């Protein structure tokens, strides 16, 4: 992989264009191997022989009135341990992520993050070979103007 040596802060704003998510605040988490997003009303279904998943998210913190429904192919189902050591089986999807002018595909697990401060974690696999993390910086790629 090409090392860009681009620096990200411990929290950033990203978009997930193929899921229709314009902005979601992420915690950049080098302790998490895989990225994770808060998902609810998760429903598996088949489409043309492909396992798919439909799920809803609240992309904005503290705004349960904003709901985005997403659909994506399932690329895997994995047992994942959370920071408290609890293990759960999660759907894994792959979708492009956009951070500033950068866009690349990442894997994201679907889980209930209702009690967490951030709706999404951007894990170390998504960052590897692309970014270095500056632990005391935030929003190095700017912040969106939110309505």
């Amino acid at each position: 992989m090409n090392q860009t040596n681009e620096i990200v802060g411990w929290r950033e704003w990203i978009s997930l264009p193929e899921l229709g998510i314009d902005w979601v605040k992420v915690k950049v988490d080098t302790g998490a191997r895989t990225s994770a997003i808060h998902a609810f009303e998760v429903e598996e279904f088949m489409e043309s022989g492909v396992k798919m998943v439909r799920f809803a998210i609240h992309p904005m913190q503290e705004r349960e009135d904003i709901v985005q429904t997403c659909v994506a192919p399932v690329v895997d189902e994995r047992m994942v341990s959370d920071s408290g050591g609890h293990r759960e089986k999660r759907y894994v999807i792959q979708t492009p992520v956009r951070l500033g002018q950068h866009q690349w595909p990442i894997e994201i697990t679907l889980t209930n993050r209702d009690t967490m401060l951030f709706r999404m974690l951007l894990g170390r696999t998504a960052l590897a070979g692309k970014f270095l993390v500056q632990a005391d910086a935030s929003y190095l790629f700017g912040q969106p103007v939110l309505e």
Side-chain angles (χ1 to χ4, degrees):
M1 283 187 199
N2 291 339
Q3 180 73 25
T4 65
N5 292 324
E6 186 104 31
I7 306 293
V8 297
W10 73 273
R11 57 186 172 175
E12 294 287 350
W13 285 94
I14 61 139
S15 64
L16 302 166
E18 285 188 6
L19 297 179
I21 300 170
D22 294 328
W23 297 107
V24 62
K25 189 188 304 182
V26 298
K27 177 181 179 184
V28 175
D29 188 351
T30 60
R33 187 176 69 79
T34 307
S35 300
I37 194 165
H38 170 63
F40 60 98
E41 295 177 5
V42 178
E43 175 189 2
E44 178 186 314
F45 64 99
M46 295 297 287
E47 184 175 285
S48 302
V50 176
K51 186 188 292 188
M52 304 287 289
V53 66
R54 179 180 298 111
F55 58 98
I57 72 160
H58 298 297
M60 305 305 295
Q61 290 174 217
E62 301 174 17
R63 291 290 307 268
E64 292 189 13
D65 59 316
I66 300 173
V67 178
Q68 175 73 39
T69 301
C70 306
V71 176
V74 174
V75 297
D76 199 4
E77 292 181 49
R78 293 185 196 140
M79 290 301 293
V80 177
S81 295
D82 65 19
S83 59
H86 305 99
R87 293 178 54 79
E88 70 173 338
K89 191 171 190 177
R90 296 183 189 174
Y91 289 106
V92 181
I93 64 168
Q94 185 176 44
T95 191
V97 61
R98 185 178 305 137
L99 174 61
Q101 299 302 313
H102 305 278
Q103 183 169 311
W104 70 102
I106 65 168
E107 288 188 344
I108 304 173
T109 65
L110 308 181
T111 188
N112 185 332
R113 295 186 52 77
D114 226 7
T115 60
M116 303 296 172
L117 183 59
F118 289 85
R119 297 295 188 196
M120 184 170 168
L121 296 179
L122 193 61
R124 68 178 177 267
T125 303
L127 301 166
K130 295 172 183 58
F131 299 97
L132 300 175
V133 180
Q134 184 173 339
D136 63 350
S138 296
Y139 312 124
L140 297 179
F141 287 85
Q143 297 185 56
V145 177
L146 303 172
E147 298 175 8

